[in-house]
Amino acid sequence: MRRLFDSELRYIENVLRYRNGGTLAVVGEVETEYYSSPRNNAPTHFNTDYFLQFSNDLENGKSFCAPILPNTAGAEVFVMIDTRTRTLLRTDLVAGEAFPIELYDSFLDNIDLKLMALPRRFAIRECAYNRVFVINNEICFLSFPTESSPVVRGDKSLLNTGPDSMIAYYTDNAEVVCVDGWIRTSVAQSDWKLEAIPK
């Protein structure tokens, strides 16, 4: 079991705001988590599907979803809450790899700029595991340079905190294990949607 990373809690709150789903009253620990392998044997995990479950009692659950990339349809993250207690029950990423990493370039550039102050720098696009969601004008990201799925390891430090961003990083024996955070951004909404076609 583990607690949520900061970016995970932030995107969950953003999905609920996006769908007028209200606020959470209780956020427990992750009881079960699963991460799929990359499609087409890609060398890195970029927005690969996963789920995190916080309870086995889903009877009173209601789901909310949001696209993970603005002006698109077909790659969504779902959040399920208990309607009586406002408790977080589960979150799933579905078809996260529907859109290539190149469509996220401007958002990844924003992340790179914020990470310039890291004690040990690395290329965000080359991380073994990357999760990047852009919901409600915020980029929520979780990146592991060498781990192929999220792990909680090392000491947490704050790189940046303020009204427009919050970024933390974890280090273990001077190695950066992961970066975790969110950055406020500007997104132009369009009447046109890029739609993923199932294969």
PDB file of all heavy atoms in Angstrom, residues 143-155:
ATOM      1  N   SER A 143       7.351  11.327 -13.527  1.00  0.00           N
ATOM      2  CA  SER A 143       8.395  10.808 -14.420  1.00  0.00           C
ATOM      3  C   SER A 143       9.493  10.106 -13.631  1.00  0.00           C
ATOM      4  O   SER A 143       9.997  10.639 -12.642  1.00  0.00           O
ATOM      5  CB  SER A 143       9.007  11.952 -15.233  1.00  0.00           C
ATOM      6  OG  SER A 143       8.009  12.618 -15.987  1.00  0.00           O
ATOM      7  N   PHE A 144       9.858   8.906 -14.116  1.00  0.00           N
ATOM      8  CA  PHE A 144      10.916   8.093 -13.506  1.00  0.00           C
ATOM      9  C   PHE A 144      11.997   7.843 -14.552  1.00  0.00           C
ATOM     10  O   PHE A 144      11.734   7.186 -15.562  1.00  0.00           O
ATOM     11  CB  PHE A 144      10.356   6.754 -13.027  1.00  0.00           C
ATOM     12  CG  PHE A 144       9.451   6.850 -11.837  1.00  0.00           C
ATOM     13  CD1 PHE A 144       8.139   7.278 -11.963  1.00  0.00           C
ATOM     14  CD2 PHE A 144       9.916   6.518 -10.569  1.00  0.00           C
ATOM     15  CE1 PHE A 144       7.300   7.367 -10.866  1.00  0.00           C
ATOM     16  CE2 PHE A 144       9.091   6.609  -9.461  1.00  0.00           C
ATOM     17  CZ  PHE A 144       7.782   7.033  -9.612  1.00  0.00           C
ATOM     18  N   PRO A 145      13.200   8.353 -14.347  1.00  0.00           N
ATOM     19  CA  PRO A 145      14.265   8.162 -15.343  1.00  0.00           C
ATOM     20  C   PRO A 145      14.609   6.703 -15.611  1.00  0.00           C
ATOM     21  O   PRO A 145      14.897   6.331 -16.755  1.00  0.00           O
ATOM     22  CB  PRO A 145      15.456   8.904 -14.734  1.00  0.00           C
ATOM     23  CG  PRO A 145      14.863   9.917 -13.820  1.00  0.00           C
ATOM     24  CD  PRO A 145      13.625   9.258 -13.266  1.00  0.00           C
ATOM     25  N   THR A 146      14.575   5.832 -14.580  1.00  0.00           N
ATOM     26  CA  THR A 146      15.036   4.458 -14.773  1.00  0.00           C
ATOM     27  C   THR A 146      14.010   3.387 -14.408  1.00  0.00           C
ATOM     28  O   THR A 146      14.188   2.225 -14.776  1.00  0.00           O
ATOM     29  CB  THR A 146      16.317   4.189 -13.947  1.00  0.00           C
ATOM     30  OG1 THR A 146      16.041   4.407 -12.557  1.00  0.00           O
ATOM     31  CG2 THR A 146      17.440   5.107 -14.392  1.00  0.00           C
ATOM     32  N   GLU A 147      12.961   3.732 -13.696  1.00  0.00           N
ATOM     33  CA  GLU A 147      11.952   2.746 -13.289  1.00  0.00           C
ATOM     34  C   GLU A 147      10.859   2.662 -14.348  1.00  0.00           C
ATOM     35  O   GLU A 147      10.385   3.677 -14.850  1.00  0.00           O
ATOM     36  CB  GLU A 147      11.327   3.135 -11.944  1.00  0.00           C
ATOM     37  CG  GLU A 147      12.320   3.322 -10.817  1.00  0.00           C
ATOM     38  CD  GLU A 147      12.828   2.013 -10.263  1.00  0.00           C
ATOM     39  OE1 GLU A 147      12.322   0.956 -10.652  1.00  0.00           O
ATOM     40  OE2 GLU A 147      13.741   2.051  -9.413  1.00  0.00           O
ATOM     41  N   SER A 148      10.403   1.443 -14.657  1.00  0.00           N
ATOM     42  CA  SER A 148       9.379   1.267 -15.686  1.00  0.00           C
ATOM     43  C   SER A 148       7.955   1.364 -15.142  1.00  0.00           C
ATOM     44  O   SER A 148       6.991   1.273 -15.901  1.00  0.00           O
ATOM     45  CB  SER A 148       9.563  -0.078 -16.399  1.00  0.00           C
ATOM     46  OG  SER A 148       9.454  -1.137 -15.473  1.00  0.00           O
ATOM     47  N   SER A 149       7.818   1.549 -13.839  1.00  0.00           N
ATOM     48  CA  SER A 149       6.517   1.815 -13.227  1.00  0.00           C
ATOM     49  C   SER A 149       6.772   2.585 -11.928  1.00  0.00           C
ATOM     50  O   SER A 149       7.879   2.536 -11.376  1.00  0.00           O
ATOM     51  CB  SER A 149       5.746   0.519 -12.949  1.00  0.00           C
ATOM     52  OG  SER A 149       6.436  -0.287 -12.038  1.00  0.00           O
ATOM     53  N   PRO A 150       5.751   3.298 -11.444  1.00  0.00           N
ATOM     54  CA  PRO A 150       5.960   4.116 -10.242  1.00  0.00           C
ATOM     55  C   PRO A 150       6.331   3.295  -9.012  1.00  0.00           C
ATOM     56  O   PRO A 150       5.734   2.259  -8.734  1.00  0.00           O
ATOM     57  CB  PRO A 150       4.600   4.800 -10.050  1.00  0.00           C
ATOM     58  CG  PRO A 150       4.015   4.864 -11.414  1.00  0.00           C
ATOM     59  CD  PRO A 150       4.455   3.577 -12.067  1.00  0.00           C
ATOM     60  N   VAL A 151       7.335   3.761  -8.300  1.00  0.00           N
ATOM     61  CA  VAL A 151       7.742   3.173  -7.023  1.00  0.00           C
ATOM     62  C   VAL A 151       7.963   4.319  -6.036  1.00  0.00           C
ATOM     63  O   VAL A 151       8.344   5.418  -6.421  1.00  0.00           O
ATOM     64  CB  VAL A 151       9.045   2.344  -7.145  1.00  0.00           C
ATOM     65  CG1 VAL A 151       8.848   1.137  -8.028  1.00  0.00           C
ATOM     66  CG2 VAL A 151      10.193   3.198  -7.660  1.00  0.00           C
ATOM     67  N   VAL A 152       7.698   4.047  -4.774  1.00  0.00           N
ATOM     68  CA  VAL A 152       7.959   5.042  -3.730  1.00  0.00           C
ATOM     69  C   VAL A 152       9.298   4.694  -3.101  1.00  0.00           C
ATOM     70  O   VAL A 152       9.427   3.686  -2.408  1.00  0.00           O
ATOM     71  CB  VAL A 152       6.837   5.054  -2.677  1.00  0.00           C
ATOM     72  CG1 VAL A 152       7.138   6.097  -1.602  1.00  0.00           C
ATOM     73  CG2 VAL A 152       5.494   5.335  -3.332  1.00  0.00           C
ATOM     74  N   ARG A 153      10.298   5.517  -3.390  1.00  0.00           N
ATOM     75  CA  ARG A 153      11.652   5.227  -2.898  1.00  0.00           C
ATOM     76  C   ARG A 153      12.413   6.534  -2.770  1.00  0.00           C
ATOM     77  O   ARG A 153      12.292   7.415  -3.607  1.00  0.00           O
ATOM     78  CB  ARG A 153      12.357   4.288  -3.886  1.00  0.00           C
ATOM     79  CG  ARG A 153      13.795   3.951  -3.557  1.00  0.00           C
ATOM     80  CD  ARG A 153      14.286   2.759  -4.372  1.00  0.00           C
ATOM     81  NE  ARG A 153      14.284   2.970  -5.803  1.00  0.00           N
ATOM     82  CZ  ARG A 153      15.301   3.511  -6.483  1.00  0.00           C
ATOM     83  NH1 ARG A 153      16.390   3.913  -5.845  1.00  0.00           N
ATOM     84  NH2 ARG A 153      15.230   3.631  -7.794  1.00  0.00           N
ATOM     85  N   GLY A 154      13.200   6.652  -1.713  1.00  0.00           N
ATOM     86  CA  GLY A 154      14.062   7.815  -1.555  1.00  0.00           C
ATOM     87  C   GLY A 154      13.459   8.915  -0.705  1.00  0.00           C
ATOM     88  O   GLY A 154      12.367   8.786  -0.149  1.00  0.00           O
ATOM     89  N   ASP A 155      14.201  10.012  -0.617  1.00  0.00           N
ATOM     90  CA  ASP A 155      13.801  11.170   0.185  1.00  0.00           C
ATOM     91  C   ASP A 155      13.170  12.226  -0.710  1.00  0.00           C
ATOM     92  O   ASP A 155      13.676  12.531  -1.788  1.00  0.00           O
ATOM     93  CB  ASP A 155      15.024  11.769   0.890  1.00  0.00           C
ATOM     94  CG  ASP A 155      15.676  10.770   1.846  1.00  0.00           C
ATOM     95  OD1 ASP A 155      14.922  10.100   2.581  1.00  0.00           O
ATOM     96  OD2 ASP A 155      16.912  10.665   1.835  1.00  0.00           O
TER      97      ASP A 155
END
